[in-house]
Amino acid sequence: CLILLWILGLGVLFVPRYPLFIMPLMVAWGAMGIWVELSDPRTIILQSYNQTELKRMKGAAIATCIEHLLLPLIRFAFHFATTYSVTEKEDDPIPSRV
């Protein structure tokens, strides 16, 4: 399930021309919730999974959280740099009112 969220978060960030930045942030928020829950797991979780599995899930959750927080920032910078040109406005002469 965490892998599907990871793929969805990256897909909506890099596939469309105008990326959806909110989806990866929501995935990061959900992954952070999983990580917090696994930091102090309930008894039912401890009975269902062994410590190795819990450590793997916790590591995957925090990695997904960090990736989905950093990648939207990088994608935004790339999107802004390719979509908007600051140099065009500097080259245009300012019309005088005289």
Side-chain angles (χ1 to χ4, degrees), residues 4-71:
L4 292 176
L5 287 175
W6 184 78
I7 291 170
L8 175 72
L10 292 180
V12 299
L13 192 60
F14 288 101
V15 173
R17 182 171 179 212
Y18 295 102
L20 303 170
F21 294 105
I22 194 70
M23 285 297 294
L25 297 176
M26 295 304 295
V27 170
W29 181 62
M32 186 174 63
I34 293 170
W35 177 68
V36 167
E37 181 66 32
L38 292 178
S39 294
D40 187 23
R42 298 177 188 169
T43 308
I44 188 83
I45 294 174
L46 290 172
Q47 292 173 352
S48 301
Y49 301 100
N50 62 30
Q51 289 297 321
T52 305
E53 291 173 335
L54 289 175
K55 286 180 183 178
R56 286 182 187 168
M57 286 188 277
K58 186 177 173 182
I62 194 65
T64 301
C65 180
I66 292 170
E67 285 177 6
H68 281 75
L69 287 175
L70 294 179
L71 286 177

